[in-house]
Amino acid sequence: MSLLPEPHEFEKEYDYEELAEELPDRPITSLRDVQYVYGRLYTLATAGGGEFAAYLTPQKSTDLFDEPESLLFLNVDLTGDEPRLDPDEPVGVRQYGADLVGPVAHSWYNAAKGFDHSITHRTGRNKEPEKVAEYLHERLTAWAADETIRQVAADHEDGWIVEALAHLGEQEGVGERIEEVVFGLLDGKTTALTTVRVKLDEDGEYQFPGACGSTVFDEAMRARKRSKLVSKGEASDSAGRATDLVTGVEGRTVGTAEDPLNYFLGKQLEKFPGFDPDQAWRTHPVSEDVAVTLMNASTFVDACDYYTMGANVYYLPYFFGRLTPEDARELYGVLYDLVNSEEGMSPLESAYRQYQDKPALQAAGERFRFYVAAVMEHQTKRFDVFGDSLDASLLSPVGLARSHRDVLRSWFYDADDDAELPHSRVRPAFPTPENWDVFVPDERSLVTTLATGWYFEQTFGPQDDDDASADDYRIRALVAALSGEPLSAEAVLDEYVNRLISDEGEEFPSFRVAAQFVQLCALAAADLLDGRGAYEPVAEEPTFRSADRTPTDTMTQDTPARTDGGSAATARETKLAQFLEDTPALSEGNPERRGSFLLGALVGQVTGYQQVSEGRSTTMVDQYPIKAITESKLKRLAGDVLDKNVVYSRERGLPSTMYGEVVDRLVTTLPRIDIEEDWELDTTDLRFYYSLGVAYGMNNWTTGDDDEDDEQSTAETPADRPAATSEDPR
């Protein structure tokens, strides 16, 4: 059960002026500022205002609500000369519920051994009656006798209450009496909160710590919790005077506070060789009140976390600039929905749906931002941050999803029946299998695919195990896509080729290539590719998106159509000319990529012919798999595939070679490439565009292919065309 009030209830609880008093008086400029706001909103929602609210943990035991025997307490009478257990009811038991959260005033401490900061302490799970009795007795012997607690009592006007409890704990027979009563009250094992009620006036009632009318329990609880902010692990007194990095106020700061994102932990000495934990306050100075507020952010921070690819990806929403009460209410609503979102929905998906439904978020525009980070836990309390950004916008992943959708709706793919093709007889350039979600041209579906990390898992190189690593480019790509930071085009192609080589088996991975290319085009269109030097054309978006032209009006003029206007060859000619022009990386100014693609396209088409017409099980693409393609083998491959194409054309008795639209361009492009001396294309780059060509060629089917020999022009015969050999790359 959640103690978080619904957004409209939160708005009623705190009016404009009250909320303004609780918010930072400076703009949000860091992750710590975001966490501080989360902590303040969470504290206000669950524990209310006041100086002690941030130190309480009301949410930690809501699982005990309305459970039988979930709250046990000592009734301690302090009205006489000596403290004593109530003679009639020394121990009470109740069902814990929301109405008792304030009176019980629980402050949990995350420790396997020891006791909670408040006098109220939670037992372990399913404890035997004797163990529960021991916990109750320790409210007197451990909590009340703790050195930090006793120091507070010595300086507090009501400190005698704590001293009296400690004195009672020392009396002979008290422990045995508590155990005897507990055995009579409990039916068996239980999980419960254990605390005390005190009677301070002879005519008064027994009261829980948070309702007894004195602040001594609150002061003691706060002091004990603060003591853990300076002494933990190797640190014994990590505190000093500095400027708080959140509030900007100079004062006492502490160095061993817990962190919801585990960025600053006392055990991570290997990150700071020679580091003195007692000096941690110097590297991360926060005041005690700010420290506990940051700790209180954990519920909201955890709601913004999604586990994928071996890492936790955080997507923390906030409003850029100084937070107004209106911003705070909107942010609380977003966080509330994240905490209560559908099971399995990523924070990006939830934020996206809220953005669509809330005009206030849409009106905020770029002010509605996100902190994005990927964090991996190697072992207990050993964490690595793979990448983070404070400047992420919902517009970035949504923009990428829309660009991806637009590519799928273009004539490059057949994912949309309304795509305008270059020729009525051709199929689109690449296939779109229905069972791959990366080929679904739906914005919401694509946002989901992106948010979960599956967007890059489908296309990037596989990892050796399930654990993320610092060099896992899938994680970097996900963070970059969420935050709008460009990816290296070179690195993306490297990931693509690694995946294709790992996939290549009995069949060529055409669907994988198609998925990678639509992603590459989408990244380019969304300005998420950094193409430096030779990779600049790869980072340019495809030109089919231009609004002032149709997909058929830019066929190159220097390449003759090989047949009349209605033939299959004409359709392929139109399609190839259009594809080359629409793809900047394949322009005539990039002969190496263009040549690699055309060579792959011819291999793909000859492979298709061998499979269908020849019934061969071993084809050209089997002879020249992706991993075998290198600069030195390019000439031999070109000779082999051109020769094969000539042989098959003669066997069919055609007046010209098959697939002339590819051959024409290939024999004019290859001579422009000096493989021995001036080759500039990286082998990975070569392999990707060769693979792209193969996928294009294998999908290059047109209606009427079987009748092509009747439609061929006689303008050129195989005898007229220069023969290609292994010595001549033409």
Side-chain angles (χ1 to χ4, degrees), residues 387-587:
D388 65 341
S389 173
L390 193 66
D391 201 30
S393 167
L394 187 63
L395 302 181
S396 176
V398 172
L400 176 56
R402 289 174 178 173
S403 294
H404 192 107
R405 176 201 61 193
D406 290 346
V407 178
L408 288 175
R409 289 178 174 175
S410 76
W411 75 268
F412 279 14
Y413 291 84
D414 57 3
D416 195 315
D417 293 337
D418 295 328
E420 186 177 359
L421 303 175
H423 196 290
S424 60
R425 298 184 63 179
V426 306
R427 64 164 55 177
F430 299 101
T432 51
E434 294 181 358
N435 60 336
W436 286 46
D437 48 13
V438 75
F439 292 114
V440 177
D442 175 75
E443 180 180 319
R444 175 171 289 191
S445 174
L446 289 167
V447 167
T448 298
T449 303
L450 175 60
T452 59
W454 185 233
Y455 186 73
F456 294 108
E457 281 192 274
Q458 291 182 88
T459 57
F460 279 25
Q463 296 298 301
D464 294 333
D465 51 48
D466 294 332
D467 292 334
S469 62
D471 59 353
D472 188 339
Y473 206 74
R474 300 173 308 167
I475 297 288
R476 293 189 186 183
L478 177 58
V479 173
L482 296 179
S483 60
E485 298 175 1
L487 295 166
S488 163
E490 181 179 4
V492 169
L493 293 186
D494 187 60
E495 290 291 329
Y496 287 171
V497 172
N498 286 339
R499 182 57 177 268
L500 295 178
I501 290 175
S502 70
D503 283 356
E504 205 170 30
E506 293 183 1
E507 296 183 356
F508 181 81
S510 293
F511 293 167
R512 189 77 65 194
V513 176
Q516 291 172 340
F517 187 64
V518 66
Q519 186 179 86
L520 188 70
C521 292
L523 289 169
D527 293 325
L528 291 175
L529 277 183
D530 179 8
R532 299 182 182 181
Y535 290 90
E536 184 176 351
V538 178
E540 293 183 35
E541 68 173 295
T543 56
F544 65 75
R545 292 162 56 92
S546 177
D548 60 353
R549 54 185 284 276
T550 65
T552 60
D553 66 6
T554 57
M555 187 177 72
T556 54
Q557 301 301 310
D558 59 346
T559 303
R562 306 219 28 97
T563 63
D564 65 22
S567 73
T570 297
R572 291 197 306 269
E573 165 66 39
T574 305
K575 172 183 171 181
L576 180 59
Q578 189 70 68
F579 183 76
L580 293 174
E581 178 153 345
D582 284 354
T583 309
L586 301 179
S587 69

Side-chain angles (χ1 to χ4, degrees), residues 38 300-301 303-306 312-318 335 338 346-349 351-352 368-373 392-398 478-479 481-483:
Y38 282 19
F300 285 153
V301 169
C304 300
D305 163 41
Y306 192 85
N312 292 87
V313 178
Y314 291 89
Y315 199 65
L316 312 182
Y318 72 98
L335 295 171
L338 282 168
S346 74
L348 171 58
E349 294 174 85
Y352 169 71
F368 185 49
R369 297 189 183 180
F370 296 82
Y371 169 82
V372 178
S393 167
L394 187 63
L395 302 181
S396 176
V398 172
L478 177 58
V479 173
L482 296 179
S483 60

Side-chain angles (χ1 to χ4, degrees), residues 249-261:
V249 176
E250 184 180 348
R252 175 182 165 86
T253 60
V254 295
T256 61
E258 295 179 18
D259 175 16
L261 278 175

Side-chain angles (χ1 to χ4, degrees), residues 58 73 108 141 147 198 242 430 504 523 571 610 677 692:
F73 47 88
W108 179 72
T141 61
E147 181 179 354
V198 293
F430 299 101
E504 205 170 30
L523 289 169
Q610 289 175 323
E677 296 183 10
L692 186 68

